[in-house]
Amino acid sequence: MSNVINITDQNFEDEVIKSEIPVLIDFWAEWCGPCKILGPVIDDVANDFDGKVKFTKLNIDENPDNTQKFGIRGIPTILIFKDGSKTATSVGVLSKSELTSFLNENI
């Protein structure tokens, strides 16, 4: 998990909007079964994209502002940000190959 950063509503702008490289945000919650399946996949893929993409997690229960701002209704939801703007969304569990393809198409 060392390549995945936990972010909050408070540091969202610094970690995501001001990032010089693309950012993947995993919107998740402790009680979410599918989120627990996706977590290790993200950890694994984060190693493959080290230095190319910043991998982050945002707990929706602890950070309602950005959860509401981006209309997160189902989790897990992944958003990709480039140059401070949301460029892609994926909802649901992805396999390693699906997540890798999603990143390659959107970064």
Side-chain angles (χ1 to χ4, degrees), residues 29-38 93:
E30 194 66 45
W31 47 264
C32 168
C35 298
K36 292 178 181 178
I37 295 168
L38 183 60
V93 177

Side-chain angles (χ1 to χ4, degrees), residues 4-18 23-28 54-70 81:
V4 181
I5 304 165
N6 285 304
I7 60 172
T8 64
D9 285 342
Q10 289 70 36
N11 69 5
F12 188 89
E13 184 165 341
D14 287 337
E15 293 290 346
V16 178
I17 304 302
K18 294 180 179 176
V23 180
L24 175 146
I25 307 169
D26 173 22
F27 286 83
W28 71 287
K54 182 189 291 188
F55 286 78
T56 65
K57 296 175 89 58
L58 186 101
N59 184 313
I60 64 163
D61 292 331
E62 297 170 0
N63 301 283
D65 294 349
N66 282 301
T67 300
Q68 185 175 11
K69 179 178 179 180
F70 295 106
F81 278 74

